Amino acid sequence: MGAEGEISYGTRGIGGLATITYEPTVEDHYYIGYRLDPDRAFSLDRSDALEGIDRGTVVGGVRKRLGDLASAYAENNYDLFGRRRSLAQTYGVVYTPDAMWTVDGGLEVGRVMDDRINAGTGKQYADFDRYAGSLALGYNDEELGLKARIRGEARFERSDDETRNRNTYLLSTGGSWQHDESGRLLANVDAVISDSDGGTFYDGDYVEASVGYAYRPAYEDRLNALLRYTFLYDLPGHDQIASATGTTAGPLQRSHIVSADVTYDILPWLSIGGKYGARIGQIRYRDNLDEEEAAWQDSIAHLGVIRTDLHIVKNWDALLEGRAFYTPEIKTADFGFLAALYRHVGNNFKVGAGYNFGRFSDDLRDLTLDDRGPFLNVVGKF
């Protein structure tokens, strides 16, 4: 039997977490807990803002070993987010036939009770049921240096008056192949397709696919490089969050993005590097026009970055960057400067904080040009 808890307080209110766990064996785990996250009620990116008082979420579940090859899990989740209440049950089985393969199948059933009033119609929002099924496969062959994963999910939501009916299909897959001690080939695809009957929900589609090559020698690693191509198809509905930017302000886009990032160690305490990226695509701004009537506009951009890394002491680094961003279609050029301080945590991570003095980022998917200000960054290394 065990227990853990934490509590916090700030300008957005009180937050907390409390959990009681019971582990009769090493492979069996039971838990029940409560969490309250004040940030979810005040996020500016939410289109379903809190009405009433957020009373948190009660969660209880179990994970149990069924034998040498399989384990099962189940969880109940009761969410008390203001005038919206939801109760969901999740069930799943994880099957591991050998050391390389993992199969995970899951099922979720729940109901959302919504007492809010629709400002447009003056009527109460309809309650709806949610059914979801998922299947995931994982493969890891250490001898070949090959890793792969794929996960698919289908969600079906049905309301009492059919105004909140929606089907959503999700796919996430990726893999890597380390062909020798210096190079690795990377590929990923993430896709979300939603189809609704109209009413409260809007349709939205998102597809992002990328392929890249990372060069980082295990020995004599003075030169490191990453080359990547990305295809982005980001078409959120009205008031939905754009997945590429994380906001409702960004335009719709369909883009091809290429980038090359290189770093070279001149001295043990000094590294220089640079990045070039180009975006060729089209954008469509969010306005009051019907989506079929809104015109697509060409969107071409070039990004250049010059970087210096200073290894101050054993676990501390400083970063200085000069940046330039050019858009030939509208003939504009922006220049920026960035400074940051990083602390290494172990051999595979470093955490840093800094300030971006320019209004753009080095992510060419981001079209909002609102990135000036402080930031916190976590970097993973292999």
Side-chain angles (χ1 to χ4, degrees), residues 106-128:
L107 175 67
E108 179 182 347
V109 179
R111 183 168 180 83
V112 177
M113 291 75 72
D114 196 342
D115 291 337
R116 297 177 303 150
I117 302 298
N118 188 326
T121 64
K123 298 180 180 179
Q124 181 176 309
Y125 282 104
D127 298 341
F128 62 94

